[in-house]
């Protein structure tokens, strides 16, 4: 069974940092693009970042570029999202997902498997 489990969320002050983890079972991350998405209350789910399987190329939404870093540890079947310089507008439930076609994309409809999400709250 394919499963994705996010962890690492929590409450931090503005300017703080968190590292989210996405652990996979049932498949090997090495072969798929892994994306991070987030959804804030009252807003649509948006793509945050992704990392491809082919060459490890990365994409970042403009809103997080320069602050967030995505990485992967294929031996552990885990993808990370290091979030620095967090802002209140980063508050959302963060989801990881896998694209079995290994595309360079953060379009939610292109992702086949999803985790349950982890809450990130940035507040004073």
């Amino acid at each position: 069974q394919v499963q994705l489990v996010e962890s690492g969320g929590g409450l931090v002050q503005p300017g703080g940092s968190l590292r989210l983890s996405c652990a996979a079972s049932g498949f090997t991350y090495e072969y798929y693009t892994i994306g991070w998405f987030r959804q804030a209350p009252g807003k649509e789910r948006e793509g945050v970042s992704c990392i491809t399987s082919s060459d490890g190329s990365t994409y970042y939404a403009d809103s997080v570029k320069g602050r967030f870093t995505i990485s992967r540890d294929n031996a552990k079947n885990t993808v990370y999202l290091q979030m620095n310089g967090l802002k209140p507008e980063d508050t959302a439930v963060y989801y990881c997902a896998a694209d079995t076609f290994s595309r360079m994309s953060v379009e939610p409809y292109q992702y086949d498997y999803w985790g349950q999400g982890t809450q990130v709250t940035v507040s004073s």
Side-chain angles (χ1 to χ4, degrees):
Q1 294 183 342
V2 175
Q3 292 185 327
L4 299 171
V5 180
E6 303 95 335
S7 62
L11 173 65
V12 297
Q13 293 185 327
S17 298
L18 285 172
R19 189 177 76 161
L20 306 184
S21 298
C22 177
S25 63
F27 69 100
T28 302
Y29 267 13
E30 181 180 5
Y31 302 112
Y32 306 114
T33 294
I34 304 298
W36 283 99
F37 302 80
R38 67 187 183 186
Q39 188 165 21
K43 295 186 176 182
E44 297 295 315
R45 187 168 298 186
E46 64 173 333
V48 175
S49 181
C50 71
I51 185 166
T52 65
S53 62
S54 57
D55 59 3
S57 296
T58 58
Y59 165 84
Y60 300 94
D62 289 341
S63 59
V64 306
K65 193 172 298 181
R67 299 187 297 120
F68 291 10
T69 303
I70 190 170
S71 62
R72 63 195 305 161
D73 185 339
N74 291 328
K76 297 180 178 179
N77 276 0
T78 301
V79 170
Y80 305 96
L81 185 68
Q82 179 68 45
M83 306 187 296
N84 299 325
L86 285 163
K87 304 175 181 179
E89 52 263 44
D90 295 318
T91 296
V93 176
Y94 283 71
Y95 301 88
C96 68
D99 170 19
T100 59
F101 287 93
S102 301
R103 290 165 289 196
M104 184 71 167
S105 171
V106 289
E107 294 293 336
Y109 70 87
Q110 293 181 329
Y111 283 73
D112 304 291
Y113 304 105
W114 292 80
Q116 292 297 108
T118 185
Q119 177 70 49
V120 172
T121 302
V122 185
S123 176
S124 299

